Amino acid sequence: MRAAGMLPAPYDALLRAYTAALARSHLAPSSRAVYLRRARAYLSWIAAAVADGHLPGEPLADMTAAVRTATAYHQSLSGTTTATAVLAAVEDFHARLRLGGTGVPRGPAPRPYAIPVRKT
């Protein structure tokens, strides 16, 4: 049984690795705390999405899967005022753990594609 607030094993290990990488960074302590909190939220979202069957397999196992996962997470943040700031932390997480860039452009998450309906 996991203690409250702990992530499932693979994600907990990633968070510990990220924590160690952040400790060696030149970021201000306050920035480290924010990035760590946002990385934990990202990993919690991934764990929940995998458990619910919304993300297949190992979403961070390779660069292609990691990009798809980051994109899905960014889209889930659509409409939040902090989506760009959260993306900065996710980008940092990916870079420090050598998962590759997320490929997600900065700025608001794109709205889902819809075909415009023409009124006649």
Side-chain angles (χ1 to χ4, degrees):
M1 175 176 231
R2 281 191 311 265
M6 286 194 65
L7 295 166
Y11 308 112
D12 185 54
L14 286 171
L15 187 62
R16 284 194 313 269
Y18 184 60
T19 301
L22 275 179
R24 296 184 302 269
S25 77
H26 295 293
L27 291 173
S30 60
S31 295
R32 286 184 210 155
V34 169
Y35 275 34
L36 190 57
R37 187 176 69 245
R38 290 177 176 165
R40 175 182 286 283
Y42 176 53
L43 291 170
S44 294
W45 179 87
I46 292 171
V50 168
D52 292 343
H54 297 296
L55 288 176
E58 293 296 324
L60 299 175
D62 60 52
M63 196 177 300
T64 302
V67 167
R68 284 188 195 127
T69 300
T71 300
Y73 184 61
H74 188 239
Q75 289 174 339
S76 78
L77 298 172
S78 181
T80 65
T81 58
T82 60
T84 299
V86 170
L87 182 58
V90 170
E91 285 278 353
D92 187 72
F93 173 82
H94 276 240
R96 290 189 196 278
L97 296 185
R98 299 182 179 181
L99 297 171
T102 64
V104 179
R106 295 289 173 101
R111 298 180 72 149
Y113 180 73
I115 299 173
V117 176
R118 221 185 271 192
K119 293 183 179 184
T120 56

